[in-house]
Amino acid sequence: MDPPGPGDEGEATQPQPLEWRFAQVFGERAAGEDVQEVDIISAIEFDKSGDHLATGDKGGRVVLFERTDARDQNASRRELERQDVPVTRHPEFRYKTEFQSHEPEFDYLKSLEIEEKINKIKWCQTANNALSLLSTNDKTIKYWKVQEKKVKRVAVMNLDSSQNVGSSTTAIASTSSYKAPLPNGGCSDKFDCVNNDLSFPPGGYPSLRLPVVTSLEANPVARCRRVFAHAHDYHINSISNNSDGETFISADDLRINLWNLEINSQSFNIVDVKPTNMEDLTEVITCAEFHPSHCNTLAYSSSKGSIRLIDLRQSALCDNHSKIFEEHEAPGSRSFFTEIIASISDLKFSRNGRYILSRDYMTLKLWDLNMNSGPVSTFQVHEHLRPKLCDLYENDSIFDKFECCLSGDGLRVATGSYGNIFRVFGCTPGSMEATTLEASRNPMRRQIENPARPTRTLASFTCGVRRGGENQGVDANGNSFDFSTKLLHLAWHPTENSIACAAANSLYMYYA
């Protein structure tokens, strides 16, 4: 019998597979157009309401989008729901603003160049109609506040040339009798000085306009409130906000630090896996995230494929975990690539906080916090690439870090793959839903012929190491080996079946 899944509340029927449709795209490149490295999207994040979306790129910029159809359709949606009419809501976003979050830096003490690339973006709680978010590169975290500001401008002020022809003769006449001023500011002629220089036509100048200040439309303005720096010796791989709305964590390869949003001068080191002798180092931290509702609980993953759950109430230094989640490999299945592909690149809590979704190189795994003997579900993402691990290792693609996400109702999970495709799996017990979509205007154009829920096989294999492995190829089933295009970053709308994903510099939106 299958273990309970995140959407299992005792329902007898399986949810129908979703039919995905293209919604919109931002920054779509033309055929043959080269993509600049700085324009490649490196982070995507919805806020809790789903009305705002933020993306970060390798150029250090953060771009914000806002939902435009929500206000218009709320009333009609409620009316249709009262009539038990199925509602298909087409999400629409528009560009809101962008700002330069990080600049390239150079650490002269370590002779290290620090890229401006945005590694992660996390939304903070909204206050006073201002949007707040955290963004980080390899070393520095910044706290931004984006607020609508009315821009004021002075209206155009000049003399109307069509109405001051007669006045010009008066001005010329007055200047002809101009008296040179004295050094003390006086005038050599006490009578003519004032009368001639300040002579105005009767009724004044009809075309003279006084300056008028006008208020234009409110524009979003981004302001950096605080900078959290000098706390990580290694590259920051993740940040996560706490449910208390006051603190957040930042994680690098060996340490996790706890910060207060209002204090940037100090942080508390809560996890430190650095050994006394660096030669004894066997694993590093790859990702960390707070529990969505328990402010004392967080989880972090490692390069060995394990997930550790820690409780901040137990100790100030949380080197000892309260629970560990890991899958033990089958005997005789170990190979040269086993440890590399076991490294977890991303993890996410489900919205109710009971499940954790993790992504390693080949699979998605769903873990139940109440059962740490093994994952409740394992989803094969691109099993057809297993015979190509040698080539993937040669061109460093095996070290690509794919993200994962869960739907708000916990019924489905999603992650990306090569060839700009992403896969959506149903995670209820017995579900066979496994949809492959391409980041394009026709997401159903390409389908990979794989079993919907294949069993995981870790049989050992042999392959010869070849230099200069090709980036593209096709196997016997027609599956693409295009390693140059990859869909690393995607996010699921918190309350609707809507996915945003990044393919190079393009942001694609889909709904079901």
Side-chain angles (χ1 to χ4, degrees):
M1 180 178 178
D2 288 326
D8 184 26
E9 301 294 342
E11 52 269 71
T13 59
Q14 286 289 334
Q16 293 296 321
L18 297 179
E19 182 180 350
W20 292 92
R21 299 180 180 89
F22 169 80
Q24 58 189 142
V25 59
F26 297 94
E28 188 176 31
R29 55 177 169 166
E33 179 184 356
D34 292 332
V35 177
Q36 299 295 323
E37 184 76 11
V38 295
D39 295 331
I40 295 178
I41 297 174
S42 57
I44 299 178
E45 188 79 11
F46 279 104
D47 69 350
K48 284 188 176 181
S49 67
D51 292 336
H52 293 91
L53 174 68
T55 65
D57 61 26
K58 291 187 175 182
R61 292 165 299 194
V62 173
V63 183
L64 303 184
F65 302 88
E66 66 177 353
R67 186 81 175 259
T68 58
D69 64 301
R71 298 185 184 91
D72 300 333
Q73 295 190 7
N74 273 341
S76 58
R77 180 182 177 88
R78 287 193 296 268
E79 184 63 29
L80 291 173
E81 287 176 345
R82 291 192 196 100
Q83 302 173 12
D84 294 331
V85 178
V87 180
T88 301
R89 187 173 176 182
H90 187 299
E92 291 182 1
F93 284 79
R94 70 177 178 186
Y95 168 86
K96 183 178 179 70
T97 187
E98 68 180 78
F99 55 90
Q100 189 70 32
S101 176
H102 288 73
E103 300 281 356
E105 302 175 30
F106 191 83
D107 188 338
Y108 292 96
L109 294 177
K110 298 181 180 179
S111 297
L112 180 67
E113 185 177 354
I114 303 172
E115 294 181 336
E116 65 271 33
K117 171 191 169 186
I118 304 296
N119 291 341
K120 292 289 181 180
I121 295 174
K122 291 294 180 181
W123 290 90
C124 304
Q125 291 184 356
T126 302
N128 299 326
N129 295 323
L131 302 175
S132 301
L133 51 88
L134 292 168
S135 62
T136 183
N137 65 351
D138 287 339
K139 295 292 184 181
T140 306
I141 307 163
K142 294 186 178 181
Y143 178 41
W144 292 90
K145 184 163 281 190
V146 182
Q147 198 164 15
E148 299 282 345
K149 297 285 187 181
K150 284 190 176 182
V151 179
K152 294 184 178 181
R153 187 181 68 179
V154 177
V156 178
M157 180 189 65
N158 62 357
L159 290 174
D160 190 349
S161 58
S162 63
Q163 299 181 8
N164 64 359
V165 177
S167 303
S168 61
T169 57
T170 307
I172 296 174
S174 64
T175 56
S176 62
S177 57
Y178 174 76
K179 304 295 183 180
L182 296 176
N184 63 358
C187 184
S188 57
D189 191 326
K190 64 179 180 180
F191 297 104
D192 295 336
C193 182
V194 177
N195 294 338
N196 291 337
D197 283 352
L198 299 179
S199 58
F200 288 90
Y205 289 100
S207 60
L208 181 62
R209 301 176 184 174
L210 294 177
V212 178
V213 178
T214 58
S215 294
L216 303 180
E217 292 183 359
N219 292 328
V221 177
R223 190 160 57 98
C224 183
R225 297 293 305 274
R226 270 171 287 281
V227 177
F228 306 88
H230 312 301
H232 288 277
D233 292 330
Y234 303 93
H235 291 175
I236 299 173
N237 53 50
S238 56
I239 53 177
S240 178
N241 289 313
N242 198 348
S243 58
D244 62 10
E246 298 178 357
T247 57
F248 71 94
I249 55 172
S250 59
D252 64 21
D253 292 341
L254 300 179
R255 291 186 175 94
I256 300 177
N257 293 332
L258 178 68
W259 301 83
N260 189 298
L261 283 169
E262 301 296 328
I263 303 171
N264 63 348
S265 58
Q266 63 180 353
S267 63
F268 297 95
N269 178 228
I270 57 175
V271 174
D272 188 351
V273 299
K274 184 177 181 180
T276 305
N277 185 357
M278 285 296 287
E279 293 182 357
D280 298 332
L281 182 66
T282 59
E283 62 181 336
V284 296
I285 299 170
T286 58
C287 188
E289 182 164 321
F290 262 118
H291 190 279
S293 57
H294 299 165
C295 61
N296 57 283
T297 304
L298 62 94
Y300 70 91
S301 58
S302 77
S303 58
K304 278 193 170 182
S306 62
I307 300 173
R308 290 173 172 84
L309 199 69
I310 62 176
D311 192 337
L312 296 174
R313 298 171 299 184
Q314 292 181 349
S315 172
L317 186 61
C318 303
D319 290 342
N320 297 322
H321 55 267
S322 58
K323 281 187 179 181
I324 184 169
F325 304 88
E326 56 186 354
E327 186 176 29
H328 301 286
E329 60 189 50
S333 63
R334 188 171 182 82
S335 71
F336 173 77
F337 304 108
T338 299
E339 192 166 322
I340 299 176
I341 64 177
S343 177
I344 295 176
S345 58
D346 190 25
L347 67 86
K348 295 284 195 311
F349 275 97
S350 63
R351 194 174 184 185
N352 60 10
R354 180 179 171 183
Y355 298 89
I356 294 178
L357 178 68
S358 66
R359 170 70 203 265
D360 56 43
Y361 187 72
M362 298 295 292
T363 65
L364 275 174
K365 292 186 176 72
L366 192 68
W367 308 81
D368 188 337
L369 295 189
N370 300 325
M371 187 180 75
N372 58 353
S373 58
V376 296
S377 296
T378 299
F379 310 94
Q380 306 293 345
V381 180
H382 40 217
E383 185 66 18
H384 63 280
L385 294 182
R386 193 172 291 276
K388 301 284 287 185
L389 289 179
C390 287
D391 294 337
L392 292 162
Y393 179 78
E394 286 298 306
N395 59 28
D396 288 338
S397 294
I398 200 170
F399 302 106
D400 288 333
K401 300 183 184 303
F402 292 94
E403 294 180 357
C404 59
C405 57
L406 298 95
S407 60
D409 55 17
L411 299 178
R412 295 170 180 86
V413 296
T415 190
S417 182
Y418 293 100
N420 285 345
I421 66 170
F422 62 100
R423 308 204 68 194
V424 180
F425 299 94
C427 54
T428 53
S431 174
M432 298 297 290
E433 180 177 357
T435 307
T436 302
L437 305 152
E438 183 186 10
S440 67
R441 291 182 178 271
N442 182 9
M444 305 300 291
R445 183 175 63 182
R446 289 171 55 187
Q447 292 284 338
I448 289 185
E449 297 297 331
N450 274 342
R453 293 289 294 277
T455 57
R456 186 181 185 195
T457 58
L458 286 176
S460 59
F461 56 90
T462 59
C463 57
V465 176
R466 296 175 300 171
R467 294 292 173 185
E470 295 181 358
N471 270 355
Q472 294 185 358
V474 177
D475 66 2
N477 296 325
N479 297 319
S480 173
F481 289 147
D482 184 3
F483 305 136
S484 62
T485 57
K486 61 196 76 171
L487 199 151
L488 301 176
H489 311 286
L490 75 170
W492 202 302
H493 191 283
T495 58
E496 299 177 6
N497 287 321
S498 175
I499 293 178
C501 58
N505 67 322
S506 302
L507 177 66
Y508 289 90
M509 312 284 292
Y510 302 96
Y511 73 102

